[in-house]
Amino acid sequence: VFRVAAQGGKQGVLAASHVATALRRVSHRVRYATEEDRDSPWLIEFVLESKTALSGSVPDPQTMASLLWSISMMRFAFPEILELLPALQTTLPAVVEVMSLPNVTLSLSAAARMRQEAGPVSCDMVAELLLAALKRRAEMKPFHIAVTMSAAASSMAAGDRGQILVDTPRILLEGMTVERLRLFSFQDLAKVVWAAVQLSYRDVDFLRGVSEVVAESAGEVDDRTAREYIPFVVCAFARFRYRSDEMFDAIASRLLKKSLLRRMSRWGIASLAWSLPEPWGGQSSVLFNSLEAVVRKRRLSQL
């Protein structure tokens, strides 16, 4: 793929859409990349020709989103690909104005994922895309809110402290009703409340609404979602120092079914153990004892 695209560049026919197609194809198989692939001289040639192609044109919105997503997926296996970001940063302001909301949030998620590796370039792109997303908040569905919140939290965790990051949870979550929260999948709700912790957004009405919805839905969550996302909810509420007995009883009942604790990740077990330092009666006492047994068996430390 790198060879064909690089040769196209040398012939003067490589466009931004061709670069996006090449990166997308490689990103779908990046997990199978070998040392030979990483050391290929055609990789360097591809990067050089792609930089020229991207610098000489403004990608359309779909192509921009595809480029950013693919680069974020390839950044570890092929770090040289990050050299394409400055060219994209230059054209992003013009493209973002005509982007659809799905392309904005896709690009935002990708840019935030690269925050550590791409440095200031990614920081500026996150700010540009986050502002564009917040301008479209009236169009946002729960999934878009979860993606936007997670991206802002990731950027702050990487060291960014822009005012727009601080304002994001207030803009998206202030006044959120229980009826609206019920439209969120459990996964998206967990992502939002975890991002709220990282962004230091503690709103009692929001937490009360989330706890009510979680108490209603925890019993119906499938096993995989329960194992992966319940620990985030429990840990978030513990860090907020907000206690809801009804919610925690519902969560405890769900976690005690089908031996979910035995199949939970080490981080999940450790976060639950840290979040529930002592039982307070009901199902939480049974869960507390089960957690202690799993922690001892796996020889885990709490967070």
Side-chain angles (χ1 to χ4, degrees):
V1 174
F2 291 144
R3 176 177 59 81
V4 172
Q7 289 175 338
K10 293 181 182 299
Q11 295 168 12
V13 297
L14 188 66
S17 59
H18 302 137
V19 177
T21 299
L23 291 178
R24 188 164 57 249
R25 291 184 64 182
V26 175
S27 67
H28 288 162
R29 297 184 60 81
V30 71
R31 70 179 67 179
Y32 305 112
T34 64
E35 287 299 323
E36 183 179 358
D37 295 327
R38 297 186 182 96
D39 296 336
S40 171
W42 286 110
L43 170 60
I44 303 303
E45 292 293 329
F46 170 77
V47 171
L48 292 174
E49 296 298 335
S50 296
K51 288 166 71 174
T52 300
L54 295 175
S55 298
S57 64
V58 178
D60 64 75
Q62 183 65 46
T63 298
M64 175 66 80
S66 178
L67 285 165
L68 290 174
W69 181 258
S70 297
I71 292 171
S72 74
M73 298 297 289
M74 296 170 62
R75 69 192 189 281
F76 294 124
F78 302 101
E80 296 87 350
I81 296 297
L82 292 169
E83 295 178 25
L84 303 182
L85 288 178
L88 295 178
Q89 179 194 12
T90 302
T91 56
L92 181 62
V95 179
V96 77
E97 292 298 323
V98 293
M99 269 186 166
S100 66
L101 181 59
N103 280 334
V104 169
T105 53
L106 179 68
S107 300
L108 174 60
S109 179
R113 187 179 292 110
M114 296 184 282
R115 180 63 190 86
Q116 291 283 6
E117 297 78 29
V121 173
S122 178
C123 175
D124 292 343
M125 297 181 89
V126 167
E128 186 85 34
L129 290 160
L130 186 55
L131 180 60
L134 293 177
K135 287 180 179 178
R136 311 279 286 279
R137 61 186 178 277
E139 302 174 38
M140 284 188 175
K141 295 181 180 180
F143 169 77
H144 300 130
I145 293 174
V147 170
T148 303
M149 285 286 295
S150 295
S154 295
S155 193
M156 181 168 282
D160 296 344
R161 291 296 181 269
Q163 186 61 40
I164 192 169
L165 300 179
V166 177
D167 291 340
T168 294
R170 177 185 56 78
I171 293 171
L172 294 180
L173 304 180
E174 193 170 74
M176 182 79 70
T177 64
V178 173
E179 288 72 23
R180 182 79 191 279
L181 288 170
R182 287 194 179 104
L183 300 177
F184 284 71
S185 68
F186 193 93
Q187 177 178 331
D188 286 339
L189 196 60
K191 289 180 178 179
V192 168
V193 74
W194 182 248
V197 167
Q198 295 173 289
L199 295 167
S200 301
Y201 179 75
R202 190 184 191 282
D203 180 86
V204 174
D205 290 335
F206 168 69
L207 294 176
R208 184 183 299 113
V210 172
S211 67
E212 182 176 334
V213 174
V214 171
E216 294 170 356
S217 61
E220 305 302 320
V221 175
D222 64 86
D223 289 355
R224 180 175 180 178
T225 300
R227 291 197 307 270
E228 293 184 9
Y229 291 99
I230 282 180
F232 284 103
V233 174
V234 174
C235 193
F237 273 80
R239 288 177 60 177
F240 275 134
R241 299 183 183 277
Y242 186 96
R243 175 171 161 175
S244 168
D245 290 357
E246 183 179 0
M247 183 189 77
F248 282 118
D249 279 345
I251 283 176
S253 297
R254 181 65 186 90
L255 291 177
L256 291 169
K257 292 179 181 178
K258 300 182 180 180
S259 304
L260 285 183
L261 295 179
R262 296 179 185 176
R263 292 174 285 155
M264 188 173 285
S265 69
R266 294 169 62 87
W267 183 90
I269 292 297
S271 64
L272 288 174
W274 176 84
S275 304
L276 303 171
E278 58 184 25
W280 61 78
Q283 288 291 88
S284 71
S285 298
V286 181
L287 177 61
F288 179 82
N289 293 331
S290 298
L291 276 172
E292 278 198 324
V294 174
V295 168
R296 286 196 303 269
K297 185 175 182 179
R298 295 199 195 179
R299 299 179 181 178
L300 301 177
S301 298
Q302 294 179 9
L303 293 176

